[in-house]
């Protein structure tokens, strides 16, 4: 480790593959970071907990020669109580319908003095105001750049480049699985085989209805409405097309018109209330999202002064998702930790 730069102690929990992607990116970028990333512990759904009392590890050490897996009781909350850190990263943790379990340990992390980075869509969709209030009370930061579009800078764009702007409309392709399946159906592949391809690529749940019927996109709509429009909308008020009733019709229409079938999320703010939908549509060739293929994403923001801004994600995947976590780490370091106390591990009695 480079001890000439301040230590930023991190604890990571979630999916093994994405946790490793974050560690690999931290290792690759280590020489250019203004801090030295020091990992106090890792908890993954697949392999349990990795930590060693009184020690921190560089990303390279964890990737090359990880410490012995140790048992910690109490799940993620038990992990948080045992392993100190400056920042807790919740990375692709399991999602329940309303994110209650994840929200509970995110609140524990904030209340115990950690900054928090998460991409858990259910927890953010149903508990974001509560989490933001907890962060404000504890003078910690909550960040979630990777919760949609695999880390495209949506929230940082709003935070740093659109200050004072009112966003009136948001439109986007927010779920890659549904759009991949629609495009494969337009190419003549039957739906069941297209879903199997998406599942083989690791982008589809065992039950694809979560993606196809718009639930995943609706969660992201709620997050966008809260974070970008300072408003809220009930999940039941978001109109979602029934896939079984409309998908085949949209595919046939797109092929006939030379368009492209897509699942499009839309959010409108008229100055008084927010309305939103997740609809199956045919995109014309002049649509900003027409060129997006396979698992690619897109988001368009209409503002009162700048007009329309379009973000396109053409290389989604674990590395771009990991970058969202790194961007949030840089933000937390710059805004808060750089000005604060030494690392928790400056004391021999820390662990």
């Amino acid at each position: 480790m480079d001890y000439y730069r301040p230590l930023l102690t991190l604890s990571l929990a979630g999916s093994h593959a994405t946790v490793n992607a974050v560690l690999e990116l931290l290792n690759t970028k280590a020489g250019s970071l203004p801090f030295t990333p020091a990992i106090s512990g890792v908890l993954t759904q697949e392999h349990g907990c990795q930590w060693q009392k009184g020690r921190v590890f560089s990303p390279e050490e964890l990737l090359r020669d990880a410490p012995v897996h140790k048992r910690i009781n109490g799940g993620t909350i038990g992990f948080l109580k045992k392993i100190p850190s400056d920042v807790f990263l919740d990375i692709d943790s399991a999602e329940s319908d309303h994110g209650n379990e994840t929200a509970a340990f995110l609140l524990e992390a904030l209340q115990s003095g950690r900054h928090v980075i998460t991409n858990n869509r259910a927890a953010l969709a149903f508990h974001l105001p509560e989490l933001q209030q907890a962060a404000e009370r504890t003078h910690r930061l909550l960040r979630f750049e990777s919760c949609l579009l695999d880390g495209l800078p949506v929230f940082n764009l709003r935070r740093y480049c659109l200050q004072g702007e009112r966003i009136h409309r948001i439109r986007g392709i927010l779920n890659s699985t549904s759009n991949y399946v629609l495009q494969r159906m337009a190419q003549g592949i039957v739906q069941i085989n297209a879903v199997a391809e998406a599942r083989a690529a690791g982008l589809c749940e065992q039950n694809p209805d979560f993606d196809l019927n718009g639930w995943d996109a609706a969660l992201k709509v709620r997050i966008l409405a809260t974070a970008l429009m300072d408003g809220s909308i009930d999940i039941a008020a978001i109109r979602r097309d029934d896939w079984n009733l409309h998908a085949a019709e949209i595919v046939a229409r797109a092929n006939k018109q030379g368009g492209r079938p897509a699942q499009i999320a839309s959010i409108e703010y008229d100055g008084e209330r927010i309305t939103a939908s997740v609809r199956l549509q045919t995109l014309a060739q002049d649509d900003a999202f027409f060129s997006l293929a396979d698992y690619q994403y897109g988001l368009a923001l209409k503002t009162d002064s700048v007009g329309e801004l379009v973000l396109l994600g053409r290389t989604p995947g674990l590395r771009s998702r990991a970058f969202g976590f790194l961007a949030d780490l840089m933000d937390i370091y710059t805004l808060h930790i750089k000005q604060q106390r030494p690392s928790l591990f400056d004391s021999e009695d820390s662990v």
Side-chain angles (χ1 to χ4, degrees):
M1 292 185 191
D2 181 357
Y3 291 101
Y4 292 100
R5 289 176 293 166
L7 288 181
L8 183 60
T9 57
L10 314 174
S11 53
L12 294 74
S15 161
H16 176 73
T18 320
V19 165
N20 264 17
V22 172
L23 291 173
E24 288 169 359
L25 188 60
L26 285 170
N27 185 49
T28 300
K29 301 283 188 181
S32 60
L33 297 176
F35 56 83
T36 298
I39 315 301
S40 56
V42 173
L43 177 68
T44 64
Q45 299 152 10
E46 298 86 350
H47 300 297
C49 184
Q50 295 172 277
W51 69 285
Q52 188 170 325
K53 186 175 181 179
R55 276 203 64 185
V56 292
F57 298 86
S58 70
E60 182 183 13
E61 287 173 317
L62 281 174
L63 291 166
R64 184 187 68 237
D65 186 22
V68 176
H69 295 276
K70 296 179 180 289
R71 180 180 177 83
I72 285 187
N73 295 323
T76 306
I77 289 182
F79 172 77
L80 288 167
K81 290 181 176 179
K82 185 74 174 179
I83 310 296
S85 62
D86 296 316
V87 187
F88 171 61
L89 287 76
D90 167 43
I91 303 172
D92 278 359
S93 58
E95 294 187 340
S96 60
D97 283 350
H98 290 81
N100 295 331
E101 181 179 348
T102 301
F105 66 68
L106 295 178
L107 286 169
E108 170 68 27
L110 290 166
Q111 291 164 359
S112 64
R114 294 169 173 86
H115 304 282
V116 167
I117 304 172
T118 182
N119 67 340
N120 190 287
R121 295 177 294 274
L124 292 167
F126 290 101
H127 300 277
L128 182 53
E130 177 187 3
L131 292 168
Q132 289 174 324
Q133 290 166 12
E136 186 175 348
R137 283 196 310 271
T138 57
H139 305 289
R140 302 294 95 178
L141 296 177
L142 171 70
R143 293 292 184 264
F144 41 88
E145 195 66 75
S146 284
C147 72
L148 71 158
L149 306 184
D150 273 346
L152 277 184
V154 175
F155 304 106
N156 280 327
L157 175 69
R158 176 72 174 97
R159 187 176 296 117
Y160 296 115
C161 300
L162 295 175
Q163 296 180 32
E165 279 288 273
R166 171 66 69 181
I167 296 175
H168 298 284
R169 185 184 185 212
I170 301 172
R171 177 175 176 267
I173 292 179
L174 303 182
N175 180 268
S176 57
T177 299
S178 60
N179 284 283
Y180 177 82
V181 172
L182 285 170
Q183 290 183 28
R184 293 295 281 156
M185 289 171 64
Q187 295 164 5
I189 306 299
V190 297
Q191 178 178 315
I192 190 171
N193 290 340
V195 169
E197 291 174 1
R199 187 176 290 128
L203 296 171
C204 183
E205 303 292 337
Q206 284 301 114
N207 181 0
D209 290 346
F210 183 80
D211 297 305
L212 302 185
N213 280 325
W215 178 257
D216 175 70
L219 294 181
K220 295 170 182 175
V221 162
R222 288 201 78 190
I223 297 168
L224 288 166
T226 302
L228 300 191
M229 291 178 161
D230 300 320
S232 64
I233 183 169
D234 191 274
I235 196 78
I238 301 172
R239 179 178 176 181
R240 293 184 286 138
D241 279 347
D242 187 308
W243 179 278
N244 292 328
L245 291 179
H246 298 286
E249 174 191 349
I250 291 296
V251 167
R253 184 187 305 164
N255 283 343
K256 182 178 180 180
Q257 297 176 355
R260 171 163 287 174
Q263 184 191 78
I264 298 293
S266 297
I267 315 171
E268 301 272 356
Y269 176 67
D270 63 6
E272 295 184 0
R273 71 188 188 99
I274 291 175
T275 57
S277 64
V278 179
R279 308 293 305 276
L280 299 178
Q281 300 178 11
T282 296
L283 302 181
Q285 294 186 17
D286 61 353
D287 192 287
F289 303 140
F290 181 83
S291 64
L292 295 178
D294 296 334
Y295 305 111
Q296 297 174 344
Y297 296 99
L299 193 73
L301 310 176
K302 184 177 181 182
T303 72
D304 52 8
S305 302
V306 180
E308 186 174 65
L309 298 171
V310 179
L311 297 173
L312 301 179
R314 298 193 182 277
T315 55
L318 289 181
R319 187 172 178 83
S320 62
R321 196 178 312 165
F323 173 76
F325 282 92
L326 178 58
D328 284 341
L329 270 177
M330 291 292 294
D331 195 36
I332 288 171
Y333 174 78
T334 302
L335 290 179
H336 205 282
I337 293 178
K338 186 177 180 180
Q339 313 298 331
Q340 297 295 314
R341 54 170 173 70
S343 166
L344 292 173
F345 282 89
D346 284 357
S347 167
E348 294 181 357
D349 299 323
S350 297
V351 181

